[in-house]
Amino acid sequence: MAFSALCLYMLQSSCKFRQPVSQGRRVTFSMGSIKFVQTSCRISLPGVSAREAQVSSNFLKDKKMVPKADPPSSEDVNCLYQFIDQSTKLVVLTGAGISTECGIPDYRSPNGAYSSGFKPITHQEFVRSNRARRRYWARSYAGWRRFTAAQPGAAHVALASLEKAGRTHFMITQNVDRLHHRAGSNPLELHGTVYSVICLDCGFSFCRNLFQEEVKALNPKWAAAIESLDYGSPGSDKSFGMKQRPDGDIEIDEKFWEEDFLIPTCQKCNGILKPDVVFFGDNVPKERADKAMEVARECDVFLALGSSLMTMSAYRLVRAAHEAGATTAIVNIGTTRADDFVSLKLTARLGEILPRVVNTGSLSIPALR
């Protein structure tokens, strides 16, 4: 039977995996049958050890923005392992849920920015209002040090290990934080990255750290005052009582930027500079969107991790993969836009389930020495 039908038969709870899998065996899914193949080896993939993959429960408890979820069961882990193991052309899409465990908040989870009434800046607002740009850049400058202090989590490391071992065909991320890159992956950044700044007029792009230095040079006293404040650790709210936001900026009072705060302009054409990210109300660049759609339609398995898929740019990829005949799955805490048609839905923290999946069975990879 097909994978979707098999999951309906074997899975009846969060993983819905109630039919136990014999220990020491792996399940390989095919279009017409289910094969049980004896396995005896257990490997460690490059880039992650069992110790590194173990996530401290205290670490997760300290992160207020991480939604609550029961630890993944052995059935959950086995189910996701089998899902990955059956693939020859796996495409992975990651969302904010993979970074909340690293101290970077999201928008839509129960503890996300939207829960407090926060409204992110839109592309239209940024373009038409000098005041909005000054507010954004002041807050973004203030939050930059703490935002960049976040480290890749166990889920990032596990995915990088799968990629290095050749088990992932292509990775796409909705996140702008570059944590995947720091873990060793090289995903397509669907919504861009805050690590680059781009001119809206001429298209000139340069490193965000250079922009930070330009802001500091234009506003030396202001920058010194901001940098002298207690930022706290990533994920905390100690930054002078203000909250960090998902895109790296910090909510600060108008008095910190309303008067005498200057923002740099493009050194090539004196145009407007913005972070090289897709703000709400803007579109993903066509070349990038086309590439993501191409790999989604050509994959045999599509796995969405830590995303509610509420943005059309992400949802359309899962939908396209499904309509093209790929097996689709989601691991996320909370409902998603694609729950009604995916073959498999698991509720788990990614930092708790992915390292265990990586260390399960052989994933059809020869033992590494």
PDB file of all heavy atoms in Angstrom, residues 263-291:
ATOM      1  N   ILE A 263      20.142  57.373   9.531  1.00  0.00           N
ATOM      2  CA  ILE A 263      20.344  56.066   8.906  1.00  0.00           C
ATOM      3  C   ILE A 263      21.154  56.241   7.622  1.00  0.00           C
ATOM      4  O   ILE A 263      20.988  57.212   6.894  1.00  0.00           O
ATOM      5  CB  ILE A 263      19.002  55.363   8.595  1.00  0.00           C
ATOM      6  CG1 ILE A 263      18.066  56.266   7.782  1.00  0.00           C
ATOM      7  CG2 ILE A 263      18.327  54.922   9.870  1.00  0.00           C
ATOM      8  CD1 ILE A 263      16.773  55.578   7.379  1.00  0.00           C
ATOM      9  N   PRO A 264      22.056  55.308   7.343  1.00  0.00           N
ATOM     10  CA  PRO A 264      22.892  55.406   6.138  1.00  0.00           C
ATOM     11  C   PRO A 264      22.058  55.276   4.862  1.00  0.00           C
ATOM     12  O   PRO A 264      20.966  54.699   4.869  1.00  0.00           O
ATOM     13  CB  PRO A 264      23.858  54.222   6.275  1.00  0.00           C
ATOM     14  CG  PRO A 264      23.803  53.829   7.722  1.00  0.00           C
ATOM     15  CD  PRO A 264      22.409  54.141   8.167  1.00  0.00           C
ATOM     16  N   THR A 265      22.581  55.810   3.789  1.00  0.00           N
ATOM     17  CA  THR A 265      21.997  55.612   2.462  1.00  0.00           C
ATOM     18  C   THR A 265      23.008  54.874   1.595  1.00  0.00           C
ATOM     19  O   THR A 265      24.166  54.687   1.986  1.00  0.00           O
ATOM     20  CB  THR A 265      21.623  56.953   1.805  1.00  0.00           C
ATOM     21  OG1 THR A 265      22.798  57.784   1.758  1.00  0.00           O
ATOM     22  CG2 THR A 265      20.531  57.657   2.591  1.00  0.00           C
ATOM     23  N   CYS A 266      22.577  54.444   0.433  1.00  0.00           N
ATOM     24  CA  CYS A 266      23.436  53.658  -0.454  1.00  0.00           C
ATOM     25  C   CYS A 266      24.679  54.447  -0.861  1.00  0.00           C
ATOM     26  O   CYS A 266      24.583  55.590  -1.315  1.00  0.00           O
ATOM     27  CB  CYS A 266      22.652  53.257  -1.700  1.00  0.00           C
ATOM     28  SG  CYS A 266      23.615  52.340  -2.924  1.00  0.00           S
ATOM     29  N   GLN A 267      25.842  53.833  -0.724  1.00  0.00           N
ATOM     30  CA  GLN A 267      27.091  54.501  -1.080  1.00  0.00           C
ATOM     31  C   GLN A 267      27.262  54.622  -2.587  1.00  0.00           C
ATOM     32  O   GLN A 267      28.086  55.391  -3.059  1.00  0.00           O
ATOM     33  CB  GLN A 267      28.281  53.736  -0.488  1.00  0.00           C
ATOM     34  CG  GLN A 267      28.394  52.303  -0.948  1.00  0.00           C
ATOM     35  CD  GLN A 267      29.559  51.580  -0.298  1.00  0.00           C
ATOM     36  OE1 GLN A 267      30.690  51.613  -0.804  1.00  0.00           O
ATOM     37  NE2 GLN A 267      29.300  50.952   0.835  1.00  0.00           N
ATOM     38  N   LYS A 268      26.456  53.898  -3.356  1.00  0.00           N
ATOM     39  CA  LYS A 268      26.537  53.954  -4.815  1.00  0.00           C
ATOM     40  C   LYS A 268      25.615  55.019  -5.407  1.00  0.00           C
ATOM     41  O   LYS A 268      25.994  55.737  -6.334  1.00  0.00           O
ATOM     42  CB  LYS A 268      26.183  52.589  -5.413  1.00  0.00           C
ATOM     43  CG  LYS A 268      27.085  51.454  -4.990  1.00  0.00           C
ATOM     44  CD  LYS A 268      28.473  51.576  -5.580  1.00  0.00           C
ATOM     45  CE  LYS A 268      29.318  50.354  -5.258  1.00  0.00           C
ATOM     46  NZ  LYS A 268      30.686  50.448  -5.809  1.00  0.00           N
ATOM     47  N   CYS A 269      24.381  55.111  -4.876  1.00  0.00           N
ATOM     48  CA  CYS A 269      23.401  56.008  -5.503  1.00  0.00           C
ATOM     49  C   CYS A 269      22.618  56.856  -4.510  1.00  0.00           C
ATOM     50  O   CYS A 269      21.703  57.580  -4.904  1.00  0.00           O
ATOM     51  CB  CYS A 269      22.420  55.191  -6.348  1.00  0.00           C
ATOM     52  SG  CYS A 269      21.259  54.206  -5.375  1.00  0.00           S
ATOM     53  N   ASN A 270      22.960  56.739  -3.229  1.00  0.00           N
ATOM     54  CA  ASN A 270      22.274  57.491  -2.172  1.00  0.00           C
ATOM     55  C   ASN A 270      20.819  57.034  -1.989  1.00  0.00           C
ATOM     56  O   ASN A 270      19.980  57.760  -1.479  1.00  0.00           O
ATOM     57  CB  ASN A 270      22.303  58.994  -2.460  1.00  0.00           C
ATOM     58  CG  ASN A 270      22.156  59.819  -1.194  1.00  0.00           C
ATOM     59  OD1 ASN A 270      22.691  59.448  -0.141  1.00  0.00           O
ATOM     60  ND2 ASN A 270      21.429  60.919  -1.259  1.00  0.00           N
ATOM     61  N   GLY A 271      20.539  55.810  -2.421  1.00  0.00           N
ATOM     62  CA  GLY A 271      19.184  55.278  -2.328  1.00  0.00           C
ATOM     63  C   GLY A 271      18.851  54.711  -0.960  1.00  0.00           C
ATOM     64  O   GLY A 271      19.658  54.722  -0.030  1.00  0.00           O
ATOM     65  N   ILE A 272      17.638  54.188  -0.840  1.00  0.00           N
ATOM     66  CA  ILE A 272      17.128  53.628   0.415  1.00  0.00           C
ATOM     67  C   ILE A 272      17.695  52.227   0.637  1.00  0.00           C
ATOM     68  O   ILE A 272      17.679  51.388  -0.261  1.00  0.00           O
ATOM     69  CB  ILE A 272      15.591  53.565   0.390  1.00  0.00           C
ATOM     70  CG1 ILE A 272      15.002  54.967   0.328  1.00  0.00           C
ATOM     71  CG2 ILE A 272      15.049  52.812   1.606  1.00  0.00           C
ATOM     72  CD1 ILE A 272      13.490  54.983   0.137  1.00  0.00           C
ATOM     73  N   LEU A 273      18.177  51.984   1.840  1.00  0.00           N
ATOM     74  CA  LEU A 273      18.716  50.678   2.199  1.00  0.00           C
ATOM     75  C   LEU A 273      17.729  49.922   3.081  1.00  0.00           C
ATOM     76  O   LEU A 273      17.109  50.498   3.979  1.00  0.00           O
ATOM     77  CB  LEU A 273      20.046  50.833   2.944  1.00  0.00           C
ATOM     78  CG  LEU A 273      21.193  51.468   2.164  1.00  0.00           C
ATOM     79  CD1 LEU A 273      22.405  51.664   3.076  1.00  0.00           C
ATOM     80  CD2 LEU A 273      21.572  50.622   0.950  1.00  0.00           C
ATOM     81  N   LYS A 274      17.587  48.626   2.835  1.00  0.00           N
ATOM     82  CA  LYS A 274      16.753  47.777   3.669  1.00  0.00           C
ATOM     83  C   LYS A 274      17.445  46.433   3.849  1.00  0.00           C
ATOM     84  O   LYS A 274      18.321  46.066   3.043  1.00  0.00           O
ATOM     85  CB  LYS A 274      15.363  47.557   3.048  1.00  0.00           C
ATOM     86  CG  LYS A 274      15.346  46.673   1.807  1.00  0.00           C
ATOM     87  CD  LYS A 274      13.931  46.459   1.279  1.00  0.00           C
ATOM     88  CE  LYS A 274      13.120  45.506   2.130  1.00  0.00           C
ATOM     89  NZ  LYS A 274      13.567  44.102   1.998  1.00  0.00           N
ATOM     90  N   PRO A 275      17.103  45.688   4.895  1.00  0.00           N
ATOM     91  CA  PRO A 275      17.677  44.349   5.013  1.00  0.00           C
ATOM     92  C   PRO A 275      17.226  43.503   3.835  1.00  0.00           C
ATOM     93  O   PRO A 275      16.117  43.689   3.315  1.00  0.00           O
ATOM     94  CB  PRO A 275      17.102  43.841   6.342  1.00  0.00           C
ATOM     95  CG  PRO A 275      15.846  44.624   6.533  1.00  0.00           C
ATOM     96  CD  PRO A 275      16.131  45.978   5.957  1.00  0.00           C
ATOM     97  N   ASP A 276      18.048  42.602   3.403  1.00  0.00           N
ATOM     98  CA  ASP A 276      17.727  41.793   2.228  1.00  0.00           C
ATOM     99  C   ASP A 276      16.793  40.648   2.611  1.00  0.00           C
ATOM    100  O   ASP A 276      17.106  39.469   2.463  1.00  0.00           O
ATOM    101  CB  ASP A 276      19.001  41.253   1.593  1.00  0.00           C
ATOM    102  CG  ASP A 276      18.758  40.705   0.192  1.00  0.00           C
ATOM    103  OD1 ASP A 276      17.640  40.882  -0.323  1.00  0.00           O
ATOM    104  OD2 ASP A 276      19.686  40.099  -0.371  1.00  0.00           O
ATOM    105  N   VAL A 277      15.629  41.030   3.132  1.00  0.00           N
ATOM    106  CA  VAL A 277      14.610  40.075   3.530  1.00  0.00           C
ATOM    107  C   VAL A 277      13.293  40.440   2.853  1.00  0.00           C
ATOM    108  O   VAL A 277      13.095  41.580   2.418  1.00  0.00           O
ATOM    109  CB  VAL A 277      14.410  40.036   5.060  1.00  0.00           C
ATOM    110  CG1 VAL A 277      15.691  39.639   5.768  1.00  0.00           C
ATOM    111  CG2 VAL A 277      13.927  41.379   5.578  1.00  0.00           C
ATOM    112  N   VAL A 278      12.416  39.457   2.775  1.00  0.00           N
ATOM    113  CA  VAL A 278      11.089  39.684   2.211  1.00  0.00           C
ATOM    114  C   VAL A 278      10.168  40.104   3.350  1.00  0.00           C
ATOM    115  O   VAL A 278       9.757  39.273   4.164  1.00  0.00           O
ATOM    116  CB  VAL A 278      10.549  38.417   1.521  1.00  0.00           C
ATOM    117  CG1 VAL A 278       9.156  38.665   0.967  1.00  0.00           C
ATOM    118  CG2 VAL A 278      11.497  37.977   0.405  1.00  0.00           C
ATOM    119  N   PHE A 279       9.867  41.387   3.430  1.00  0.00           N
ATOM    120  CA  PHE A 279       8.945  41.870   4.445  1.00  0.00           C
ATOM    121  C   PHE A 279       7.522  41.417   4.122  1.00  0.00           C
ATOM    122  O   PHE A 279       7.200  41.035   2.989  1.00  0.00           O
ATOM    123  CB  PHE A 279       8.958  43.405   4.509  1.00  0.00           C
ATOM    124  CG  PHE A 279      10.125  43.998   5.242  1.00  0.00           C
ATOM    125  CD1 PHE A 279      10.629  45.249   4.873  1.00  0.00           C
ATOM    126  CD2 PHE A 279      10.726  43.345   6.302  1.00  0.00           C
ATOM    127  CE1 PHE A 279      11.685  45.828   5.548  1.00  0.00           C
ATOM    128  CE2 PHE A 279      11.788  43.914   6.983  1.00  0.00           C
ATOM    129  CZ  PHE A 279      12.269  45.156   6.607  1.00  0.00           C
ATOM    130  N   PHE A 280       6.658  41.469   5.125  1.00  0.00           N
ATOM    131  CA  PHE A 280       5.246  41.210   4.886  1.00  0.00           C
ATOM    132  C   PHE A 280       4.738  42.205   3.845  1.00  0.00           C
ATOM    133  O   PHE A 280       5.067  43.380   3.886  1.00  0.00           O
ATOM    134  CB  PHE A 280       4.453  41.343   6.187  1.00  0.00           C
ATOM    135  CG  PHE A 280       4.683  40.215   7.147  1.00  0.00           C
ATOM    136  CD1 PHE A 280       5.741  40.247   8.041  1.00  0.00           C
ATOM    137  CD2 PHE A 280       3.851  39.106   7.142  1.00  0.00           C
ATOM    138  CE1 PHE A 280       5.967  39.205   8.923  1.00  0.00           C
ATOM    139  CE2 PHE A 280       4.068  38.057   8.022  1.00  0.00           C
ATOM    140  CZ  PHE A 280       5.127  38.100   8.915  1.00  0.00           C
ATOM    141  N   GLY A 281       3.963  41.706   2.897  1.00  0.00           N
ATOM    142  CA  GLY A 281       3.446  42.558   1.845  1.00  0.00           C
ATOM    143  C   GLY A 281       4.316  42.596   0.612  1.00  0.00           C
ATOM    144  O   GLY A 281       3.939  43.192  -0.403  1.00  0.00           O
ATOM    145  N   ASP A 282       5.474  41.957   0.663  1.00  0.00           N
ATOM    146  CA  ASP A 282       6.380  41.907  -0.482  1.00  0.00           C
ATOM    147  C   ASP A 282       6.344  40.505  -1.080  1.00  0.00           C
ATOM    148  O   ASP A 282       5.748  39.580  -0.513  1.00  0.00           O
ATOM    149  CB  ASP A 282       7.798  42.265  -0.047  1.00  0.00           C
ATOM    150  CG  ASP A 282       8.717  42.584  -1.211  1.00  0.00           C
ATOM    151  OD1 ASP A 282       8.210  42.709  -2.344  1.00  0.00           O
ATOM    152  OD2 ASP A 282       9.940  42.702  -0.991  1.00  0.00           O
ATOM    153  N   ASN A 283       6.975  40.316  -2.217  1.00  0.00           N
ATOM    154  CA  ASN A 283       7.006  39.025  -2.895  1.00  0.00           C
ATOM    155  C   ASN A 283       8.412  38.436  -2.877  1.00  0.00           C
ATOM    156  O   ASN A 283       9.411  39.166  -2.931  1.00  0.00           O
ATOM    157  CB  ASN A 283       6.547  39.169  -4.352  1.00  0.00           C
ATOM    158  CG  ASN A 283       5.104  39.607  -4.462  1.00  0.00           C
ATOM    159  OD1 ASN A 283       4.231  39.107  -3.751  1.00  0.00           O
ATOM    160  ND2 ASN A 283       4.846  40.557  -5.357  1.00  0.00           N
ATOM    161  N   VAL A 284       8.479  37.122  -2.812  1.00  0.00           N
ATOM    162  CA  VAL A 284       9.768  36.444  -2.956  1.00  0.00           C
ATOM    163  C   VAL A 284      10.285  36.700  -4.368  1.00  0.00           C
ATOM    164  O   VAL A 284       9.525  36.606  -5.334  1.00  0.00           O
ATOM    165  CB  VAL A 284       9.602  34.922  -2.727  1.00  0.00           C
ATOM    166  CG1 VAL A 284      10.914  34.191  -2.992  1.00  0.00           C
ATOM    167  CG2 VAL A 284       9.110  34.648  -1.306  1.00  0.00           C
ATOM    168  N   PRO A 285      11.565  37.070  -4.523  1.00  0.00           N
ATOM    169  CA  PRO A 285      12.109  37.285  -5.868  1.00  0.00           C
ATOM    170  C   PRO A 285      11.814  36.100  -6.784  1.00  0.00           C
ATOM    171  O   PRO A 285      11.903  34.948  -6.369  1.00  0.00           O
ATOM    172  CB  PRO A 285      13.611  37.451  -5.608  1.00  0.00           C
ATOM    173  CG  PRO A 285      13.683  38.000  -4.222  1.00  0.00           C
ATOM    174  CD  PRO A 285      12.567  37.339  -3.476  1.00  0.00           C
ATOM    175  N   LYS A 286      11.483  36.387  -8.043  1.00  0.00           N
ATOM    176  CA  LYS A 286      10.998  35.360  -8.962  1.00  0.00           C
ATOM    177  C   LYS A 286      11.977  34.204  -9.142  1.00  0.00           C
ATOM    178  O   LYS A 286      11.583  33.032  -9.114  1.00  0.00           O
ATOM    179  CB  LYS A 286      10.689  35.986 -10.323  1.00  0.00           C
ATOM    180  CG  LYS A 286      10.040  35.010 -11.308  1.00  0.00           C
ATOM    181  CD  LYS A 286       9.708  35.690 -12.623  1.00  0.00           C
ATOM    182  CE  LYS A 286       8.951  34.751 -13.542  1.00  0.00           C
ATOM    183  NZ  LYS A 286       9.663  33.478 -13.797  1.00  0.00           N
ATOM    184  N   GLU A 287      13.250  34.504  -9.327  1.00  0.00           N
ATOM    185  CA  GLU A 287      14.235  33.441  -9.544  1.00  0.00           C
ATOM    186  C   GLU A 287      14.289  32.488  -8.351  1.00  0.00           C
ATOM    187  O   GLU A 287      14.363  31.266  -8.514  1.00  0.00           O
ATOM    188  CB  GLU A 287      15.613  34.057  -9.793  1.00  0.00           C
ATOM    189  CG  GLU A 287      16.695  33.028 -10.085  1.00  0.00           C
ATOM    190  CD  GLU A 287      18.042  33.669 -10.374  1.00  0.00           C
ATOM    191  OE1 GLU A 287      18.098  34.915 -10.466  1.00  0.00           O
ATOM    192  OE2 GLU A 287      19.022  32.922 -10.521  1.00  0.00           O
ATOM    193  N   ARG A 288      14.229  33.063  -7.153  1.00  0.00           N
ATOM    194  CA  ARG A 288      14.268  32.259  -5.930  1.00  0.00           C
ATOM    195  C   ARG A 288      12.994  31.434  -5.789  1.00  0.00           C
ATOM    196  O   ARG A 288      13.034  30.254  -5.446  1.00  0.00           O
ATOM    197  CB  ARG A 288      14.442  33.190  -4.729  1.00  0.00           C
ATOM    198  CG  ARG A 288      14.857  32.495  -3.441  1.00  0.00           C
ATOM    199  CD  ARG A 288      14.896  33.495  -2.304  1.00  0.00           C
ATOM    200  NE  ARG A 288      15.726  34.666  -2.605  1.00  0.00           N
ATOM    201  CZ  ARG A 288      15.673  35.809  -1.933  1.00  0.00           C
ATOM    202  NH1 ARG A 288      14.785  35.961  -0.952  1.00  0.00           N
ATOM    203  NH2 ARG A 288      16.472  36.799  -2.255  1.00  0.00           N
ATOM    204  N   ALA A 289      11.857  32.054  -6.040  1.00  0.00           N
ATOM    205  CA  ALA A 289      10.578  31.351  -5.944  1.00  0.00           C
ATOM    206  C   ALA A 289      10.499  30.225  -6.966  1.00  0.00           C
ATOM    207  O   ALA A 289       9.997  29.131  -6.666  1.00  0.00           O
ATOM    208  CB  ALA A 289       9.424  32.331  -6.144  1.00  0.00           C
ATOM    209  N   ASP A 290      10.990  30.483  -8.182  1.00  0.00           N
ATOM    210  CA  ASP A 290      10.958  29.464  -9.232  1.00  0.00           C
ATOM    211  C   ASP A 290      11.834  28.267  -8.872  1.00  0.00           C
ATOM    212  O   ASP A 290      11.462  27.110  -9.134  1.00  0.00           O
ATOM    213  CB  ASP A 290      11.421  30.060 -10.563  1.00  0.00           C
ATOM    214  CG  ASP A 290      10.403  31.013 -11.168  1.00  0.00           C
ATOM    215  OD1 ASP A 290       9.253  31.033 -10.688  1.00  0.00           O
ATOM    216  OD2 ASP A 290      10.772  31.747 -12.118  1.00  0.00           O
ATOM    217  N   LYS A 291      13.002  28.520  -8.286  1.00  0.00           N
ATOM    218  CA  LYS A 291      13.888  27.433  -7.891  1.00  0.00           C
ATOM    219  C   LYS A 291      13.243  26.577  -6.817  1.00  0.00           C
ATOM    220  O   LYS A 291      13.292  25.332  -6.873  1.00  0.00           O
ATOM    221  CB  LYS A 291      15.224  27.993  -7.385  1.00  0.00           C
ATOM    222  CG  LYS A 291      16.207  26.927  -6.921  1.00  0.00           C
ATOM    223  CD  LYS A 291      16.587  25.971  -8.039  1.00  0.00           C
ATOM    224  CE  LYS A 291      17.592  24.937  -7.577  1.00  0.00           C
ATOM    225  NZ  LYS A 291      17.928  23.968  -8.657  1.00  0.00           N
TER     226      LYS A 291
END
